[in-house]
Amino acid sequence: MNKWIMAGTAAAFTGAAAFARSEYERIHLDIVHYDIKTDKLGLEWNGFKAVFLSDLHDNSFGMENEELLAAIEKEQPDIVVIGGDMLVVKEWAAPHFDMLANLYKKLVKRYPVYYAFGNHEQRMKEEPLTYPGWWQSYWKVLKDSGMHVLVNKSEEIIKNDTAMRISGITLPRECYRKGRIPSLSAGYIDKKIGKASDKNFELLLAHTPTFAKTYADWGADLVLSGHFHGGTIRIPGLGGVMTPQLQFFSPLARGNVTQKNTNIIVSGGLGTHSINVRLNNLPQLVVLTWKTH
Ligand SMILES: [Fe+2]
């Protein structure tokens, strides 16, 4: 056989195998557990559990996300937190609001749910001419669901005399562009949600981990981010190849990093868009358990 035909055949088989593996990974969950140690919360918080969802991008685990709901139920969390980009807002995309509304209703029936925005929710809101009617419809879904929607807003959970403040911030749209990304100061977060408190445990939902240092400067105890989809394809020893903002081998693509006293946990996300590939990079359901003694 001609060597070019052999090489072409091998490449076609490799491509088909990679495609099949990616299709498998995109609908199979990895449950990732982290312990959150803090002395800012009292003993009654010990064992408090949150499940973190991010970047679902209209994906469904099972016909109606029943596999995702079952995985959450198995963890028996006290709260569910959502880090944004639950849908795909692109000119070529169709809205899947009914599917998401069903998911949110089922979640809210069982848990308090806190929802912060990603760049896709922001795009839908800020570009009404490109996405006519989307924002009004989706906002109705969010409000009707009974979730705590945290758009530059905070809410506290208090147990005896210690409190966790959960805050969601939106970032300037240029923070999400491909290419040169502007800097962001902690003052920006001060303006949106006020200063961090020394007393409360500050849980900050910030969609992109790009500004990890800023979140630490602001004074977050724990930051939950997503957005980078784990880097699309993960290579052992090198990490995630590419983020949706075309950053290559970002150390923030997935996992846990610490800045000062701030713990930053980045979910690999639950879905994909545009480049619908996941290799060695299963969708992640992140489970957090607080340890306070
Ligand atoms: Fe995103």
Side-chain angles (χ1 to χ4, degrees):
M1 196 185 287
N2 178 303
K3 68 177 179 183
W4 292 110
I5 295 174
M6 283 174 69
T9 306
F13 271 112
T14 306
F19 175 78
R21 175 66 198 178
S22 174
E23 289 300 288
Y24 170 86
E25 288 199 17
R26 286 174 61 204
I27 51 169
H28 285 83
L29 279 171
D30 187 19
I31 319 292
V32 191
H33 292 88
Y34 293 96
D35 284 347
I36 308 298
K37 292 182 182 144
T38 181
D39 53 13
K40 274 189 164 179
L41 294 170
L43 280 180
E44 57 278 7
W45 287 88
N46 197 42
F48 185 83
K49 213 181 223 194
V51 161
F52 176 50
L53 314 179
S54 189
D55 298 271
L56 184 66
H57 287 303
D58 294 325
N59 197 10
S60 187
F61 295 84
M63 290 299 284
E64 289 193 31
N65 265 314
E66 62 273 14
E67 290 169 22
L68 177 62
L69 287 160
I72 296 169
E73 184 70 18
K74 202 172 163 200
E75 295 295 333
Q76 303 214 315
D78 295 283
I79 59 171
V80 171
V81 285
I82 296 178
D85 277 10
M86 294 297 275
L87 67 177
V88 179
V89 181
K90 291 279 187 181
E91 288 178 55
W92 44 261
H96 292 76
F97 297 157
D98 288 347
M99 187 267 281
L100 292 169
N102 280 334
L103 173 64
Y104 300 156
K105 269 185 205 152
K106 285 174 187 164
L107 286 173
V108 168
K109 241 186 212 174
R110 299 177 179 125
Y111 323 101
V113 183
Y114 298 84
Y115 187 120
F117 280 8
N119 51 311
H120 283 245
E121 286 91 350
Q122 274 181 254
R123 183 182 299 140
M124 175 172 50
K125 185 181 181 196
E126 293 172 22
E127 297 182 28
L129 294 178
T130 312
Y131 305 100
W134 282 45
W135 168 250
Q136 288 79 358
S137 302
Y138 194 61
W139 185 246
K140 187 170 178 339
V141 166
L142 295 180
K143 296 317 277 182
D144 288 352
S145 71
M147 289 189 290
H148 303 256
V149 181
L150 301 178
V151 182
N152 300 317
K153 194 177 161 192
S154 306
E155 290 197 21
E156 283 186 358
I157 303 174
I158 302 168
K159 285 178 187 276
N160 291 342
D161 55 357
T162 57
M164 179 187 298
R165 177 163 77 132
I166 307 177
S167 306
I169 51 160
T170 62
L171 302 175
R173 286 284 301 285
E174 61 263 30
C175 292
Y176 292 110
R177 70 184 169 204
K178 295 175 179 72
R180 206 184 68 79
I181 298 166
S183 60
L184 189 81
S185 74
Y188 174 88
I189 307 176
D190 286 346
K191 274 187 208 141
K192 293 289 180 188
I193 54 169
K195 290 196 177 295
S197 142
D198 288 339
K199 260 186 91 187
N200 291 344
F201 182 91
E202 297 279 5
L203 194 174
L204 181 66
L205 300 172
H207 182 64
T208 176
T210 302
F211 305 101
K213 186 180 173 305
T214 307
Y215 309 146
D217 289 345
W218 177 72
D221 294 292
L222 173 66
V223 180
L224 298 178
S225 296
H227 184 55
F228 283 174
H229 301 177
T232 312
I233 296 170
R234 294 191 66 84
I235 299 175
L238 294 174
V241 173
M242 184 181 73
T243 75
Q245 285 177 263
L246 304 183
Q247 295 128 311
F248 297 93
F249 298 104
S250 167
L252 298 170
R254 195 180 83 177
N256 191 194
V257 290
T258 306
Q259 288 267 347
K260 293 186 190 167
N261 297 319
T262 302
N263 190 0
I264 297 147
I265 292 175
V266 185
S267 167
L270 290 159
T272 57
H273 69 85
S274 305
I275 299 169
N276 291 311
V277 173
R278 277 187 180 270
L279 279 176
N280 195 26
N281 183 25
L282 288 169
Q284 289 192 327
L285 182 69
V286 174
V287 183
L288 311 152
T289 307
W290 271 257
K291 304 282 178 191
T292 60
H293 69 291

